[in-house]
Amino acid sequence: MIDGQGHMLPETFVEGFHTEAVVRRMRFRKCHNYGLLSVMGLGASGLGGMFTKGQGSGLASATAQDDTQKDLNRVAPAADANAQNDGWFAEDSVADKEAAKEIVLTALKAGVNIIDTAHWYGQGRSERMLGYALDGVPRKAYYITSKVCRYEKDPRYMFDFTFERTYQAGLDTL
């Protein structure tokens, strides 16, 4: 997008959501097939409590599940996708959802236009928190990247490169 002065704004600039003067302070680089990407991205591992059980990100209620209980709750990949205790249907606190929204909106409104996440970041919590945070944000305002094949903290279940699990991970991250 070219403004009235002939300067480029990223394709992710959305009038009414972004403030042009603020976005112009962000540096961007041209990326083939995407256009202008911010030189800074938002790594969403903190939203999932990846390294600090949530404390470093401002999210307070991230907790690690007891490994014994996790083994008892483990659902085989071919089993019912709606099984309880699989992590996707966990409820996050309202305070954590609001903190995630504030973090994500602050970054996006500052011109950050690329967000990185993965199921590995909190065993799906990062993706859930991003879902809450991005609700109502114009889809055009950001690019999102994810990764697959690394899932659980327990090394016995950490990696799964099967077609079925990889395909399901792609669907889950959406």
Side-chain angles (χ1 to χ4, degrees):
M1 171 185 283
I2 300 177
D3 68 7
Q5 298 174 356
H7 299 112
M8 292 291 290
L9 287 168
E11 294 79 358
T12 53
F13 180 81
V14 177
E15 256 185 81
F17 176 74
H18 291 106
T19 302
E20 185 175 333
V22 174
V23 173
R24 288 196 175 284
R25 287 187 285 205
M26 177 62 67
R27 290 183 44 222
F28 297 93
R29 290 196 177 134
K30 188 155 180 69
C31 182
H32 185 66
N33 292 329
Y34 289 95
L36 297 176
L37 295 181
S38 55
V39 296
M40 293 177 56
L42 173 63
S45 63
L47 299 180
M50 179 67 183
F51 301 106
T52 60
K53 294 186 182 174
Q55 299 304 314
S57 63
L59 307 183
S61 70
T63 58
Q65 186 177 20
D66 178 285
D67 286 340
T68 306
Q69 187 64 35
K70 184 179 276 190
D71 285 344
L72 293 174
N73 293 334
R74 179 161 298 287
V75 177
D80 182 6
N82 294 318
Q84 291 185 7
N85 298 321
D86 69 355
W88 280 107
F89 300 99
E91 185 58 37
D92 298 296
S93 75
V94 173
D96 283 358
K97 291 176 187 177
E98 291 302 315
K101 190 164 194 81
E102 182 180 351
I103 291 165
V104 172
L105 288 178
T106 298
L108 292 175
K109 288 184 176 271
V112 170
N113 65 0
I114 188 158
I115 303 169
D116 173 64
T117 189
H119 180 81
W120 172 246
Y121 302 157
Q123 285 57 59
R125 188 165 197 258
S126 168
E127 294 163 320
R128 278 196 325 274
M129 297 306 279
L130 273 174
Y132 300 133
L134 292 170
D135 186 36
V137 174
R139 181 57 188 93
K140 179 186 174 189
Y142 58 90
Y143 299 108
I144 193 160
T145 63
S146 190
K147 294 160 288 305
V148 298
C149 298
R150 189 173 186 184
Y151 305 101
E152 303 295 333
K153 291 181 182 180
D154 184 329
R156 297 173 293 169
Y157 308 108
M158 187 176 287
F159 296 100
D160 185 345
F161 295 96
T162 63
F163 171 81
E164 293 80 11
R165 185 61 177 111
T166 303
Y167 181 77
Q168 185 61 49
L171 294 177
D172 289 347
T173 198
L174 298 174

